[in-house]
Amino acid sequence: QVQLVESGGGLVQPGGSLRLSCVASGSILSINAMGWYRQAPGKERELVADITESGSTNYGDSVKGRFTISRDNAKNTVYLQMNSLKPEDTARYYCLANVNLSLWRLGLAYWGQGTQVTVSS
């Protein structure tokens, strides 16, 4: 099985920064895309950013220019550097990984349990 564990969330003032990390572990052959999604109370889960194995990135419109996604393939880890945080960034942030378990089990999606980010003064 595959486990994704997020860390780095917390309470931060508007304009502040946080760095989220997500480590994937288990019987992993390789990882394709990894990404971050978020869900605020009463709202649908939305894409924050994702990154391919080769490093190509994609961002949600609301975070462009403020957030940066990166990954360390050797550590099966994806990061999200969040700068200039706003109250509307408050949400639970979830890690998603598209994982290859073997040559016959490709492209399986796994989610982490999430980490809470609260932006408030």
Side-chain angles (χ1 to χ4, degrees):
Q1 275 291 4
V2 175
Q3 296 82 38
L4 300 182
V5 178
E6 301 102 331
S7 61
L11 174 64
V12 63
Q13 292 186 342
S17 299
L18 284 175
R19 188 190 194 211
L20 305 184
S21 300
C22 171
V23 181
S25 63
S27 301
I28 297 171
L29 177 63
S30 61
I31 301 178
N32 304 312
M34 301 184 80
W36 290 95
Y37 287 72
R38 67 187 182 186
Q39 188 167 19
K43 295 188 177 181
E44 295 185 353
R45 191 171 295 191
E46 64 174 357
L47 171 70
V48 176
D50 58 26
I51 183 168
T52 67
E53 186 176 10
S54 62
S56 296
T57 60
N58 179 48
Y59 293 92
D61 288 341
S62 62
V63 307
K64 286 179 181 177
R66 300 187 297 122
F67 292 8
T68 302
I69 190 170
S70 61
R71 65 188 283 175
D72 184 334
N73 291 334
K75 296 180 178 180
N76 287 344
T77 300
V78 63
Y79 305 97
L80 184 69
Q81 178 65 43
M82 305 186 295
N83 298 329
S84 301
L85 282 161
K86 305 175 181 179
E88 51 262 44
D89 294 316
T90 296
R92 191 162 185 86
Y93 284 69
Y94 296 89
C95 176
L96 172 67
N98 186 284
V99 176
N100 301 320
L101 299 183
S102 71
L103 294 179
W104 299 273
R105 300 185 70 192
L106 303 174
L108 302 178
Y110 291 90
W111 290 92
Q113 293 298 307
T115 185
Q116 179 67 34
V117 172
T118 302
V119 185
S120 175
S121 56

